[in-house]
Amino acid sequence: MKRYRGNGWARKTALGALSLAKQRGITRVGWQCWSNNIGSQRTAMSAGFKLLADFPVLFGWNLPLNNFLVNGNHYMRGDTKYGVNKDYSRAAWSYAQALDRGWDWNRDAALYWNAACLFYLTGEKERAIYYYQKAIEYGWIDIHQPHYHEHVYREEDSEQIATILAEASISNPVNTLELSHKVVSPTDG
């Protein structure tokens, strides 16, 4: 594929597509590419396109509750490649929307661990303890255990958070019936 780059083929193809669109009466043609795809941007500009907008992209799935988990992962880690900044409050809210409805990818303990850390980091200690207890219930051991996906909160403060939540859950168990129906949006604070 690399041997074809830099020969103008992409520009020629784009210009050909624009010509065909014009012949068929199509008057509005757009170009979308990832913000880090500089080659695609240059090709578009050389074919006469102008930058109209630069916007963040979130992934969507056919199952709405999967959207919450996937977007929770993106907000937790941030992903500059896709224009998503770290937002622990929004990540915690996203996880809670799915987990509180029992949508947890077959009791994936790491999702509960993530929610526990994120709620702890946003100052919601009671909810953090609740999700920590669920993570333990579903087999969570620690961040050093291998996991089948990469979306696990493993930051410098992970060990400290685990210690705090473990001690807090022993001395102050959370009433899971009361907490499991609490739903707030990220803007509710």
Side-chain angles (χ1 to χ4, degrees):
M1 194 75 162
K2 283 189 177 185
R3 70 181 187 179
Y4 297 106
R5 290 186 182 163
N7 296 320
W9 291 109
R11 181 176 186 275
K12 290 174 187 173
T13 302
L15 290 171
L18 289 171
S19 176
L20 183 60
K22 186 176 181 179
Q23 289 172 15
R24 295 195 174 171
I26 299 171
T27 58
R28 292 179 53 111
V29 179
W31 185 293
Q32 293 184 7
C33 62
W34 296 116
S35 59
N36 68 339
N37 190 340
I38 305 304
S40 182
Q41 291 176 36
R42 286 184 182 152
T43 300
M45 302 296 259
S46 73
F49 288 89
K50 292 182 177 29
L51 178 64
L52 296 179
D54 191 2
F55 51 89
V57 176
L58 298 177
F59 294 95
W61 304 92
N62 290 331
L63 299 170
L65 294 175
N66 270 350
N67 287 331
F68 287 122
L69 296 176
V70 170
N71 289 325
N73 291 338
H74 280 284
Y75 285 123
M76 174 183 70
R77 300 181 89 181
D79 197 336
T80 54
K81 179 178 178 183
Y82 300 115
V84 178
N85 294 320
K86 283 185 182 182
D87 185 337
Y88 291 155
S89 178
R90 185 165 275 178
W93 180 84
S94 295
Y95 280 122
Q97 296 306 299
L99 298 177
D100 289 351
R101 290 169 176 84
W103 194 265
D104 58 8
W105 294 342
N106 296 316
R107 295 189 171 191
D108 183 345
L111 297 174
Y112 290 94
W113 162 253
N114 292 348
C117 292
L118 296 165
F119 277 111
Y120 175 81
L121 291 167
T122 59
E124 293 190 53
K125 189 174 178 183
E126 187 174 285
R127 292 185 87 186
I129 294 167
Y130 167 76
Y131 288 110
Y132 177 78
Q133 290 172 343
K134 294 299 274 184
I136 298 299
E137 178 184 336
Y138 294 146
W140 180 256
I141 298 171
D142 62 38
I143 62 169
H144 305 292
Q145 300 301 312
H147 200 70
Y148 73 94
H149 62 75
E150 64 184 24
H151 301 288
V152 178
Y153 186 85
R154 291 183 173 118
E155 301 290 334
E156 290 181 24
D157 57 0
S158 295
E159 298 287 348
Q160 179 184 6
I161 291 172
T163 301
I164 291 168
L165 292 178
E167 290 171 1
S169 75
I170 291 170
S171 63
N172 186 19
V174 173
N175 182 338
T176 58
L177 290 177
E178 287 178 23
L179 194 58
S180 64
H181 297 292
K182 181 179 179 184
V183 177
V184 295
S185 72
T187 57
D188 286 346

